[in-house]
Amino acid sequence: MGLRASKLSKLIGAQVLRKRLSGSSLTPRGYIPICVGMNNDTKRFMVRAEVLEDADFLEFLYRSAEEYGFCNEGVLRIPYEAKDFEEWMLRRSKRNVFRVKPI
């Protein structure tokens, strides 16, 4: 015969689970926090989840897997120069901007 949890412990467990599922208040919905950098020079970025589909970003993920393995916990870390990653993000965002000629 198994142990039964009290109603209070079930309620507290549900509240903790609900907090975990709702996510951190520091990370907006639709974004992923990542740390980019090498050695002790790292920067934290918030990237849209859509960037995971980008072929260039997949290269960053492969580098991360080679460096840290597939089963690491915590924030996603990418071993790449933070300045270069920031420039890549700017170039990528400019690709999504279209100029329209006035009629």
Side-chain angles (χ1 to χ4, degrees):
M1 198 164 186
L3 295 173
R4 288 189 175 179
S6 69
K7 288 182 182 181
L8 180 61
S9 66
K10 285 183 184 179
L11 179 63
I12 291 171
Q15 288 175 350
V16 170
L17 181 62
R18 197 173 309 122
K19 280 186 179 180
R20 285 186 180 174
L21 291 177
S22 67
S24 172
S25 62
L26 299 177
T27 305
R29 176 172 267 153
Y31 286 83
I32 300 168
I34 60 171
C35 287
V36 179
M38 301 180 78
N39 302 324
N40 293 330
D41 183 32
T42 60
K43 274 186 157 179
R44 185 173 182 204
F45 293 91
M46 298 292 232
V47 296
R48 292 204 49 92
E50 298 153 357
V51 80
L52 295 174
E53 299 173 353
D54 193 297
D56 293 334
F57 193 77
L58 286 175
E59 287 294 323
F60 294 132
L61 291 177
Y62 286 129
R63 287 183 186 191
S64 179
E66 288 174 357
E67 180 75 22
Y68 305 113
F70 287 103
C71 298
N72 62 336
E73 291 186 21
V75 176
L76 175 62
R77 297 185 182 281
I78 296 179
Y80 194 70
E81 292 294 331
K83 181 181 173 187
D84 295 337
F85 183 81
E86 196 168 0
E87 289 174 5
W88 175 79
M89 289 294 293
L90 289 172
R91 282 193 314 268
R92 185 185 181 283
S93 67
K94 288 179 182 176
R95 283 190 284 178
N96 295 336
V97 176
F98 300 101
R99 295 185 184 227
V100 178
K101 294 181 182 179
I103 298 176

